Amino acid sequence: MRFADLVEVYDRIEATTKRLEMTELLVGLVRATPKEDLARVVYLTQGRIHPDYEGIELGLAEKMVTRVLAHATGLEEARIQRMWKEKGDVGLVAEEAIATRRQKSLESTPLTVAKVYENLDAIARESGEGSQERKIRLLSDLLGHASPREARYIVRMVVGKMRLGVADMTIIDALASTFATKADRDRVERAYNVCSDLGEVARVVAAKGLKGLDEIHLKLFRPIRAMLAERLETLEAILERMDKAALEYKYDGLRVQAHVSPEKIQLFSRHLENITGQFPEIVEGLKTAVRDREAILEGEAVPVDANTGEFLPFQEVSRRRGRKTDVERMAKEFPVTLFAFDCLLRNGEDLTPRAYSDRRKNLESMMKAAEGIRLSKVHVTSDVKEAEAFFDEALQAGCEGLMAKALDSRYEAGARGFQWIKFKKEYSAELNDTIDLVIVGAFAGRGKRAGSYGALLMAAYDEKADVFRTTCKLGTGFDDETLRTLPERLKSRRRDRRPPRVDSKLEADVWFDPEAVLEVRGAELTISPVHTAAWDAIRPGAGLAIRFPRFTGRWRDDKGPEDATTVHELLEMYRGQLKQTKKPVPRSA
Ligand code: ATP
């Protein structure tokens, strides 16, 4: 197929504003493409040359491309740079630059789709010493044979900005209407959801038709598109729908799909990027945790505070990119724990058609204890009260809420449905202001904090009862010097037993007379069965806790403990915030 024919369709796609017209243009394109070129055409139209998960990217810097353009056209680099500034799109610059040159020399062999694809592939695969020069040569070669229009699209592909706006689902529509009937569209989509590779789907459907697609199965080291959840507002509604459900803690982190074999482990993100290099501790943990030869697991990766054992907001590890040494340092400082919640493949067998309860049994029997790898916590019930208690427990553990799963549901790749229903905390409110809390206890530090305190137990003042009631463990926001001197600084207030004015369900390693006040910033207030502030006030058997507390660095030496934030104020904040965010007030309030 001539590349010029493809470019002509791209031009028309770019000009249209109607989704339907775009689909028609794509259908025309798919029909006109010879079978052997179809996969290439699909990749190029998506603006890539391989499926995402392979991580083979073109992504040349635009600056470098302008240099190549100068070299390929003989135009001055400064002139190219000026054009780039004016147009802001190197594709358009390429088009104009080649047009200028073309007036001088006219003869050239027409480019084919295969030739363009091969050169781009070669550019993407070049790495190591001297690779830049080789990339430049390959691109120059292509541009040397390109028409101005062709150059526009080649350059856009090379810099990773195709801008055609063709969604994967539109390509699926086009493939379905060419090789099947509309009614069979689902089979095309299913194949894509299982293999995450539209080029592969195109190749198979063109060569073998729909039957061929049904032979696309889950495969190790080729990620499957994630199953997604619907949302419902109450646990009653969820249990009404599912009758009996498996409730799992809903961890607040990053979804990870792990592919495991004795030789190799690969991790993929929710968007199917290969993120293996970012989480060395998960790879290490899985080596021990998975008993079986082969497995595909899903789980949520959550950073854990090494001192308090509590979860940290995911931003703490954000995206671990950059150099290997930096990643390793971060993996030590903020290690993540992977909470495995599903098992999709076991020793070559695709488990996705099996029921949730069966997959869960497989998951439990194939995993053994290992550092940094755990199973998601689960509780099967049809009882609303039990579900509520489990929800409280999840919040207390630092989770966002619960994920309810239908016991008989299969794993539906890429689908969002009521087989999984998420239920997030409704009994929580955002905290905008800092609060002042009193130190009432401490927990011994480990690792880097050995000899000092890993976390402090913090309390709010209950003026009615004249006692201090706990509201969080505080382990974040301390600099090294403060940490080192904490025991010395608090020495005079230290007690062996819990002071009578301290109300706590937690057993601290060290207790303090409630005197020192710290300024703390928290993310939100949440219901907690462990902390005693505002006990029974919002829900029976629960108090109020501060989620993700952080020391601001300010010791409120100007405040006595009775000047600290009161339980009453916390309660007001909680209720005020609930009203503002229009969250439902808990039934038992
Ligand atoms: P969605 O993924 O549904 O588009 P989202 O990205 O906003 O929405 P959430 O609303 O937080 O995510 O809920 C879904 C996500 O919850 C899952 O994709 C997964 O990453 C995470 N999760 C945490 N714990 C579990 C669990 N036990 N089972 C399934 N998913 C879980």
Side-chain angles (χ1 to χ4, degrees):
M1 184 180 188
R2 280 159 35 117
F3 188 56
D5 297 338
L6 182 59
V7 159
E8 202 188 306
V9 183
Y10 287 170
D11 252 357
R12 291 167 59 194
I13 290 179
E14 226 186 295
T16 181
T17 50
K18 302 189 187 87
R19 160 80 157 77
L20 210 66
E21 210 173 287
M22 183 192 266
T23 310
E24 276 162 17
L25 285 166
L26 276 174
V27 171
L29 174 62
V30 169
R31 293 215 165 121
T33 303
K35 285 183 181 171
E36 66 275 14
D37 274 329
L38 193 58
R40 296 189 189 107
V41 165
V42 165
Y43 288 132
L44 293 176
T45 306
Q46 288 180 299
R48 58 170 75 114
I49 28 196
H50 291 282
D52 264 356
Y53 66 84
E54 287 190 3
I56 303 171
E57 279 172 31
L58 275 163
L60 288 194
E62 287 169 278
K63 181 118 190 150
M64 184 164 125
V65 172
T66 57
R67 241 177 271 146
V68 179
L69 277 174
H71 178 258
T73 57
L75 295 180
E76 262 177 47
E77 219 179 302
R79 180 164 165 198
I80 303 265
Q81 294 288 342
R82 267 202 310 279
M83 284 157 71
W84 183 27
K85 238 193 195 143
E86 255 168 50
K87 297 182 191 295
D89 171 358
V90 270
L92 295 179
V93 175
E95 184 169 1
E96 193 178 313
I98 301 276
T100 316
R101 177 213 59 172
R102 222 6 85 74
Q103 286 159 6
K104 289 175 200 142
S105 97
L106 275 170
E107 84 295 350
S108 170
T109 357
L111 284 175
T112 60
V113 166
K115 162 85 176 158
V116 172
Y117 182 87
E118 269 154 32
N119 267 39
L120 293 179
D121 188 27
I123 291 175
R125 285 176 192 277
E126 281 292 355
S127 67
E129 210 181 311
S131 62
Q132 288 296 51
E133 286 76 46
R134 291 194 295 276
K135 282 181 193 223
I136 290 174
R137 215 173 312 126
L138 284 162
L139 181 57
S140 283
D141 178 36
L142 262 189
L143 292 175
H145 292 89
S147 72
R149 260 306 140 83
E150 288 172 333
R152 177 206 283 195
Y153 291 101
I154 289 171
V155 160
R156 282 187 183 165
M157 275 173 206
V158 156
V159 299
K161 292 186 180 164
M162 253 304 260
R163 303 183 186 179
L164 276 187
V166 177
D168 292 352
M169 289 304 145
T170 319
I171 297 180
I172 289 176
D173 287 345
L175 289 174
S177 83
T178 307
F179 297 103
T181 61
K182 262 215 168 107
D184 291 319
R185 187 192 179 282
D186 282 357
R187 282 164 78 183
V188 182
E189 192 177 336
R190 186 212 70 94
Y192 173 52
N193 286 335
V194 169
C195 74
S196 314
D197 181 350
L198 266 186
E200 172 74 2
V201 173
R203 194 174 7 248
V204 172
V205 78
K208 301 187 190 162
L210 281 174
K211 269 219 178 79
L213 286 187
D214 294 341
E215 284 158 25
I216 292 185
H217 292 297
L218 189 57
K219 212 167 89 181
L220 206 55
F221 304 115
R222 185 175 70 184
I224 176 172
R225 292 180 16 106
M227 178 164 178
L228 302 172
E230 282 287 352
R231 173 200 295 263
L232 280 177
E233 294 305 323
T234 64
L235 286 166
E236 284 104 314
I238 292 174
L239 288 175
E240 232 164 66
R241 222 172 215 280
M242 289 189 177
D243 189 22
K244 199 169 187 187
L247 304 174
E248 291 186 24
Y249 277 13
K250 185 172 185 305
Y251 302 90
D252 191 4
L254 181 89
R255 187 165 184 164
V256 171
Q257 195 180 112
H259 292 233
V260 183
S261 81
E263 297 79 35
K264 187 163 89 170
I265 292 178
Q266 283 191 342
L267 310 177
F268 298 96
S269 71
R270 154 94 191 269
H271 299 294
L272 312 181
E273 292 166 309
N274 188 327
I275 50 168
T276 316
Q278 290 175 42
F279 297 99
E281 70 272 47
I282 298 184
V283 173
E284 237 4 82
L286 285 172
K287 282 185 193 160
T288 319
V290 178
R291 293 174 200 267
D292 288 26
R293 205 165 27 81
E294 282 181 348
I296 299 180
L297 307 172
E298 265 201 310
E300 189 85 352
V302 194
V304 178
D305 185 320
N307 292 294
T308 61
E310 294 188 346
F311 295 149
L312 292 168
F314 201 77
Q315 296 83 288
E316 293 288 348
V317 284
S318 55
R319 295 178 66 76
R320 290 196 201 163
R321 296 201 180 269
R323 284 178 305 163
K324 202 168 166 231
T325 47
D326 292 337
V327 170
E328 277 164 3
R329 183 178 46 75
M330 286 195 65
K332 284 217 173 71
E333 212 170 314
F334 299 110
V336 298
T337 295
L338 182 73
F339 291 89
F341 58 69
D342 217 320
C343 168
L344 312 182
L345 179 131
R346 188 176 186 188
N347 293 336
E349 193 191 345
D350 179 357
L351 300 186
T352 57
R354 301 235 207 142
Y356 164 85
S357 41
D358 189 345
R359 297 201 309 280
R360 178 79 198 189
K361 262 191 219 127
N362 273 283
L363 179 69
E364 286 170 9
S365 66
M366 73 188 292
M367 305 279 282
K368 61 173 190 262
E371 174 100 15
I373 312 286
R374 294 171 52 190
L375 290 173
S376 65
K377 209 149 176 217
V378 61
H379 181 76
V380 178
T381 187
S382 52
D383 181 82
V384 177
K385 282 256 160 335
E386 259 182 52
E388 279 176 354
F390 193 59
F391 172 66
D392 284 350
E393 202 187 300
L395 291 193
Q396 167 52 30
C399 291
E400 284 190 293
L402 297 177
M403 188 66 106
K405 299 182 179 177
L407 293 170
D408 58 357
S409 62
R410 44 185 289 160
Y411 188 95
E412 296 282 357
R416 188 187 295 283
F418 282 97
Q419 303 297 329
W420 285 13
I421 306 176
K422 53 194 176 192
F423 177 65
K424 296 202 202 180
K425 57 183 177 299
E426 51 182 310
Y427 309 141
S428 68
E430 271 173 47
L431 267 180
N432 303 319
D433 210 358
T434 57
I435 45 181
D436 301 317
L437 298 174
V438 186
I439 304 176
V440 295
F443 300 88
R446 286 182 294 147
K448 221 176 112 194
R449 295 195 182 178
S452 181
Y453 300 132
L456 300 175
L457 184 59
M458 307 301 293
Y461 180 53
D462 184 339
E463 69 271 56
K464 267 199 209 138
D466 188 33
V467 295
F468 295 87
R469 305 198 195 269
T470 71
T471 188
C472 63
K473 278 186 185 178
L474 178 67
T476 320
F478 297 93
D479 60 34
D480 289 351
E481 173 67 3
T482 313
L483 264 184
R484 200 176 52 76
T485 52
L486 260 181
E488 183 59 31
R489 192 160 182 169
L490 296 171
K491 203 166 86 185
S492 63
R493 302 168 179 126
R494 200 175 148 152
R495 294 285 168 267
D496 290 328
R497 279 201 228 140
R498 179 170 55 78
R501 282 177 79 212
V502 172
D503 174 27
S504 172
K505 283 185 178 296
L506 288 172
E507 201 46 52
D509 294 324
V510 182
W511 294 101
F512 299 111
D513 278 333
E515 284 170 12
V517 181
L518 299 185
E519 190 184 69
V520 174
R521 187 177 286 286
E524 55 191 11
L525 285 163
T526 172
I527 293 285
S528 154
V530 158
H531 288 289
T532 54
W535 191 256
D536 280 352
I538 295 162
R539 289 192 62 183
L544 266 186
I546 287 150
R547 195 156 183 250
F548 300 144
R550 167 181 282 273
F551 178 39
T552 64
R554 186 163 175 213
W555 290 76
R556 296 303 305 257
D557 294 333
D558 55 331
K559 281 196 167 182
E562 287 83 4
D563 303 319
T565 303
T566 64
V567 166
H568 182 73
E569 282 175 283
L570 288 183
L571 214 52
E572 286 302 303
M573 277 184 213
Y574 176 79
R575 292 198 169 120
Q577 294 292 339
L578 269 188
K579 256 183 240 137
Q580 265 178 33
T581 51
K582 294 215 176 74
K583 291 188 181 167
V585 177
R587 279 171 307 115
S588 41

